[in-house]
Amino acid sequence: MRPLALVYRGPASLPGCPEAVADLLKSSKHGFDVRFTGPDEKFKLGEAALAGAALYAQPGGGTLGSAYRKLRRHRDDVRAFVEGGGRYLGFCLGGYLAGATPGFGLLPGDTDRYIDTEDATVDHDEDAVVKVRWRGRTRKLYFQDGPVFVLEKPDAADVLATYPNGTVAALVAPFGAGRVGVVGPHPEATRDWYADGGLRPPLLRYGHDLGLDLVDSVMAR
């Protein structure tokens, strides 16, 4: 059987974000059976749906406070899923939601807004392109008020990428028997995201390969 990957789609996401994450997962080497989960989907988010899944993905969306109010009743289910060996993948808002104030509490630390950090290269919450250093290589990614990840201990996670000011832009960390992968910018973004935001896309390529690297890293055993 193909491993089931559930992607949240509902009031705590924005149109286009779940679909972009689903497309990324479908293109990975893991052969996922990708389905959407949410209040209006066949798979209702909760213990029963997560019990059959290998991975749960939380895409981008609106503000953290509003999203968490819609999802907080699922906090224990998501934590139990990952702690029991499942994988959590969070993009932008999904990264914020992996934190603790508020959030699912899956990270060895917490989150903050990149735009509020010292020497941040983006100082507004609108559409932007941000540079990151991903596994030693400089890349540009679509960005919209994404998080930084603040670790309690430097060696508590595998840091995949940093922003230009040295703060953490993407990481993978253990949680119980499972793993959590989170990213502040949007490696899943497609050309239309840049066009809709009036942005110049990267000259060479989008971040699709980086998104796949994140997927591979969170699925590693």
Side-chain angles (χ1 to χ4, degrees), residues 190-210:
T190 53
R191 178 177 289 273
D192 58 302
W193 289 35
Y194 291 88
D196 291 345
L199 304 171
R200 177 180 296 179
L203 294 177
L204 297 178
R205 52 184 171 175
Y206 301 102
H208 191 86
D209 58 312
L210 305 183

Side-chain angles (χ1 to χ4, degrees), residues 108 151-157:
L151 298 174
E152 293 176 349
K153 298 179 181 179
D155 59 352

Side-chain angles (χ1 to χ4, degrees), residues 21-169:
V21 171
D23 287 344
L24 178 71
L25 292 172
K26 289 175 184 177
S27 70
S28 80
K29 68 182 182 183
H30 301 282
F32 290 119
D33 177 13
V34 181
R35 305 295 180 93
F36 293 109
T37 182
D40 297 322
E41 305 294 338
K42 177 181 178 181
F43 288 85
K44 308 300 182 186
L45 181 58
E47 181 181 2
L50 291 168
L55 179 146
Y56 171 70
Q58 189 75 51
T63 63
L64 174 58
S66 175
Y68 186 67
R69 285 193 293 273
K70 296 176 176 69
L71 291 169
R72 61 186 173 188
R73 70 181 184 275
H74 301 298
R75 183 180 190 271
D76 290 346
D77 291 335
V78 172
R79 285 174 58 84
F81 164 70
V82 183
E83 191 170 28
R87 268 51 174 178
Y88 176 95
L89 197 60
F91 296 80
C92 192
L93 175 61
Y96 278 117
L97 284 166
T101 54
F104 301 134
L106 299 172
L107 298 176
D110 207 348
T111 66
D112 202 351
R113 301 172 78 189
Y114 172 63
I115 64 173
D116 290 340
T117 60
E118 187 175 358
D119 297 326
T121 54
V122 180
D123 61 1
H124 58 82
D125 62 3
E126 303 298 326
D127 302 294
V129 173
V130 69
K131 285 185 179 180
V132 298
R133 191 79 172 164
W134 194 292
R135 294 195 188 273
R137 295 186 177 183
T138 299
R139 297 287 296 275
K140 294 180 179 180
L141 294 173
Y142 179 93
F143 180 83
Q144 203 269 317
D145 198 12
V148 297
F149 304 101
V150 183
L151 298 174
E152 293 176 349
K153 298 179 181 179
D155 59 352
D158 178 14
V159 175
L160 303 183
T162 56
Y163 294 104
N165 64 357
T167 54
V168 178

